[in-house]
Amino acid sequence: MRKYVVTISVLLLAAGQSHSQSTIHQESYRDMVLQNSQEVKMAGYGFSGQDESLKAAKTAFLPSFSAAANYSYTVNPLELTMENPALHFQGAHQHYGASLSMEQPVYAGGAIRAEVERASRQRANARYEVERVSDKVAFDADYRYWTAVACYEAQSVARAYRDSVSRLVEIVRNMVELGYVERNDLLMTEVKLNEAEYSYLQAVNDAEVARLAVNSLAGVDFSAVIPLDSVVLLPELFPLEFDSMSPQQRPEWHMAEGEVRIRKAEQRFASSAFLPKVHVGAMGDYGAPGYDFQPDMDPNFQLYVELAIPIFEWGKGNHSRKAANFAVEQAREQLDKVEADISLEMQSARYACTQAFERAELAVCSLEKASESVRISLQQYQEGKVSILEVISAQMYCQQARLNYIRSKLDVRIACADWERSVGRIR
């Protein structure tokens, strides 16, 4: 026990100098969960979708091509007859043809660049969303993993407690047979043995439920057995790097900052609707009647430049710009809020981690004293110096100290995982 006291003291003194250590089984389980997680897969699909949207937005810089075909039949086509000079003209019943056109934007008021910028920031936010979800899932994996390990360790402790009470029953039974103590001592110890058996069965149930939860998160069959550590291991060293905490280490901050950039891009896009636009194009067609009014199909070709200038739209442009400005300011306020929330979360995780280490140290000291109390009380009972109640109480206190020790180790592991998640270093 003294070894653990020294270890935890070193933990508290060496905080901030290295990373927490994960076990092989823990890393393997975390990888299984990340590969199976539907949340991670959905975030990945969202990123892939935004990546394709960015590629689509960039194509607006390139010329666009389109093709068309038409056919129509007119029952009574236009007809013109003149006597002087003699002229007779009659349109065709059938009109048909095909055309191919090309259009290249020259200036769109910045709309295309703004749309590409927006798509680029949305893609970046989708990538940060993958990181955020992965961090969350990794924390959930660590939480379930160490909870299951703690349940199995508690099961072992419950079994050991049941066995120790069983040995006490045998000692008391022999002393009753020899006439050293009253039979009531044996009855009390047998009742305590039944309680210990009940606690053991409850611990077995808790361990099985935790195992099922571990399998469910990893996406494996419930009958499968995932390798786990036998006990909750305290990290040898843990990175409480208090001076290097920054909200910018978290993907949530980058996502909020990305929203500001998206709103600015939308602001430029909204302004572009009220700026001049220029594009050039070319179109070729092959149809009938031709340019010479003959029924045969003839080819034709045209080039054009188009300029569009908005003149007056009853203040719509001004209102649109103001609405976009308000959206930018709203996104900035959200960024400040996210930054404040992350800072609070980091500070809270740091404090919780420090407290968890201190509680673990107290639990180790209590367990050492409770174990010694059991040894002394049992020896004194056999010498006739104390009653059986003191022995039973000492065993109960020792059992509670063991459970508190397991709980304190689990709290340290969960606090460590939460700290790593809060500073964006859990993976």
Side-chain angles (χ1 to χ4, degrees), residues 44 123 135 144-145 149 152 171 177 196 234 246 265 275 293 295 310 337 340 350 378 415:
R123 177 185 180 276
D135 288 349
R144 289 204 187 183
Y145 178 86
V149 173
Y152 276 107
I171 292 173
E177 292 175 354
L234 284 171
S246 172
L275 296 176
F293 301 105
K337 180 180 183 300
R350 181 187 72 171
L378 181 59

Side-chain angles (χ1 to χ4, degrees), residues 135-136 139 250 345 417-424 426:
D135 288 349
K136 172 184 174 297
F139 172 77
R250 290 278 293 277
E345 191 174 336
D418 189 48
W419 162 257
E420 289 182 322
R421 183 198 58 78
S422 69
V423 297
I426 194 169

Side-chain angles (χ1 to χ4, degrees), residues 3-225:
K3 176 181 68 175
Y4 291 109
V5 175
V6 174
T7 300
I8 294 177
S9 298
V10 172
L11 283 173
L12 295 172
L13 293 174
Q17 299 179 6
S18 69
H19 293 279
S20 66
Q21 297 183 355
S22 300
T23 67
I24 296 177
H25 293 320
Q26 178 192 358
E27 291 289 347
S28 176
Y29 177 70
R30 184 189 293 173
D31 291 340
M32 291 173 60
V33 172
L34 288 172
Q35 292 174 9
N36 173 73
S37 173
Q38 287 82 12
E39 292 180 81
V40 175
K41 291 178 181 178
M42 288 189 295
Y45 289 136
F47 171 75
S48 298
Q50 291 298 336
D51 187 52
E52 295 300 324
S53 297
L54 175 59
K55 294 177 182 177
K58 289 181 178 179
T59 61
F61 288 112
L62 304 176
S64 60
F65 297 85
S66 60
N70 64 85
Y71 174 82
S72 65
Y73 181 85
T74 304
V75 176
N76 297 309
L78 294 175
E79 185 175 354
L80 176 64
T81 302
M82 297 180 63
E83 295 180 356
N84 188 19
L87 176 66
H88 178 74
F89 171 81
Q90 183 178 17
H93 290 278
Q94 299 186 82
H95 297 262
Y96 54 91
S99 64
L100 176 65
S101 61
M102 182 275 291
E103 188 172 279
Q104 170 66 55
V106 177
Y107 177 71
I112 298 177
R113 292 188 181 277
E115 184 64 22
V116 170
E117 172 65 16
R118 178 172 62 177
S120 177
R121 296 314 307 178
Q122 288 175 337
R123 177 185 180 276
N125 275 15
R127 178 171 59 84
Y128 286 121
E129 175 65 9
V130 173
E131 293 183 13
R132 186 194 70 81
V133 172
S134 298
D135 288 349
K136 172 184 174 297
V137 171
F139 172 77
D140 292 341
D142 287 357
Y143 182 90
R144 289 204 187 183
Y145 178 86
W146 289 117
T147 299
V149 173
C151 287
Y152 276 107
E153 187 175 357
Q155 176 183 323
S156 300
V157 168
R159 181 171 56 248
Y161 175 62
R162 181 197 62 183
D163 295 342
S164 67
V165 176
S166 179
R167 288 192 295 270
L168 177 61
V169 169
E170 292 300 321
I171 292 173
V172 174
R173 180 178 288 112
N174 292 335
M175 295 181 69
V176 170
E177 292 175 354
L178 294 175
Y180 293 135
V181 296
E182 299 293 333
R183 176 173 171 74
N184 189 49
D185 287 4
L186 177 60
L187 295 177
M188 285 190 292
T189 54
E190 287 177 341
V191 170
K192 190 55 61 179
L193 177 60
N194 290 338
E195 293 179 359
E197 181 67 28
Y198 180 89
S199 298
Y200 172 70
L201 294 177
Q202 183 62 48
V204 170
N205 178 78
D206 293 342
E208 179 62 15
V209 171
R211 185 190 70 83
L212 295 175
V214 164
N215 286 22
S216 176
L217 192 61
V220 301
D221 190 82
F222 288 115
S223 61
V225 178

